[in-house]
Amino acid sequence: MIDIDPNSSGLPGIEQLRTIVGAVMTIGLILAVLALIVSAIVWAYGSNSSNPHLAGRGKLGVLISCGAAVVCGAAVTLVNFFWNVGQSV
């Protein structure tokens, strides 16, 4: 039986890589909030100008930006969950 766990000190630069990944997650969340704001504005403009295509695109943008925020926020938890599922196979 082979028992291998992640090694957090096996390679140089692991701490810097964690810092970079954290910064990328922060940027992703900031961009998701920006996309949410822009999509909400497009949705409101489309609704008020009786433009159903623009309103529909705004709604879709709101949903996509919310989904992106969920994925960015839950990325570490998702990876850990699937790591544990893979370990039990």
Side-chain angles (χ1 to χ4, degrees):
M1 178 176 184
I2 298 174
D3 187 24
I4 300 173
D5 292 324
N7 185 355
S8 62
S9 63
L11 292 173
I14 293 293
E15 288 303 318
Q16 289 83 5
L17 186 60
R18 285 184 182 174
T19 303
I20 290 170
V21 169
V24 170
M25 287 174 62
T26 302
I27 290 170
L29 288 171
I30 290 170
L31 290 176
V33 169
L34 179 65
L36 178 69
I37 292 169
V38 169
S39 297
I41 290 170
V42 168
W43 184 3
Y45 180 74
S47 294
N48 286 331
S49 65
S50 298
N51 188 340
H53 180 73
L54 202 58
R57 290 294 180 175
K59 287 179 195 178
L60 184 63
V62 167
L63 290 176
I64 289 173
S65 61
C66 287
V70 168
V71 169
C72 285
V76 175
T77 304
L78 286 171
V79 169
N80 286 334
F81 171 74
F82 286 113
W83 173 262
N84 291 330
V85 168
Q87 292 296 311
S88 65
V89 172

